[in-house]
């Protein structure tokens, strides 16, 4: 098996731009998640923990799924059905965690 070799100079600029956009989105999402988790650790407030988990599902997981799918160059059905379904489910789960964190009483 031969390792995958990519010459970065021959990649179209649109792929590089897309990768940079995904990378920046993931880094910014991780920063926000880390800040929320740090708030949970500092104050022992469960609301912040659920907020951190929800934000991870909304901001970090969908770009990671898209990047992984694009990296493997899988079948068209993956791009047309499973990737949008997976990102939508991830966002639904994340928004559910965020809504739950907002619904918890502040003494929790």
């Amino acid at each position: 098996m031969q390792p995958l070799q990519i010459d970065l100079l021959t990649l179209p600029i649109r792929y590089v731009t897309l990768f940079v956009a995904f990378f920046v989105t993931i880094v910014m999402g991780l920063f926000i998640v880390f800040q929320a988790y740090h708030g949970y650790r500092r104050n022992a407030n469960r609301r912040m923990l659920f907020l951190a988990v929800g934000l991870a599902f909304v901001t970090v997981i969908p770009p990671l799924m898209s990047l992984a799918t694009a990296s493997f160059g899988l079948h068209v059905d993956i791009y047309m059905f499973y990737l949008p379904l997976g990102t939508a489910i991830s966002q639904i789960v994340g928004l559910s965690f965020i809504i739950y964190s907002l619904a918890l009483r502040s003494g929790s």
Side-chain angles (χ1 to χ4, degrees):
M1 181 191 257
Q2 184 176 357
L4 181 64
Q5 296 177 354
I6 298 175
D7 185 11
L8 295 177
L9 298 176
T10 61
L11 278 176
I13 191 69
R14 64 180 185 222
Y15 293 127
V16 176
T17 305
L18 185 62
F19 176 76
V20 169
F22 278 135
F23 183 75
V24 169
T25 303
I26 292 167
V27 168
M28 291 174 72
L30 284 173
F31 177 75
I32 293 169
V33 168
F34 174 76
Q35 291 300 320
Y37 181 73
H38 185 65
Y40 160 71
R41 297 284 297 187
R42 182 177 50 235
N43 300 323
N45 189 346
R46 287 185 53 210
R47 296 174 75 185
M48 293 300 287
L49 178 63
F50 286 109
L51 180 66
V53 171
L55 288 171
F57 273 99
V58 171
T59 62
V60 177
I61 293 178
L64 281 176
M65 290 171 55
S66 297
L67 190 60
T69 303
S71 297
F72 293 122
L74 299 173
H75 196 269
V76 173
D77 287 343
I78 300 292
Y79 293 109
M80 299 300 290
F81 179 73
Y82 294 107
L83 180 61
L85 179 64
T87 56
I89 289 172
S90 174
Q91 290 171 341
I92 290 169
V93 169
L95 291 173
S96 298
F97 272 103
I98 293 170
I99 290 170
Y100 183 71
S101 76
L102 296 173
L104 281 178
R105 297 180 189 251
S106 37
S108 298

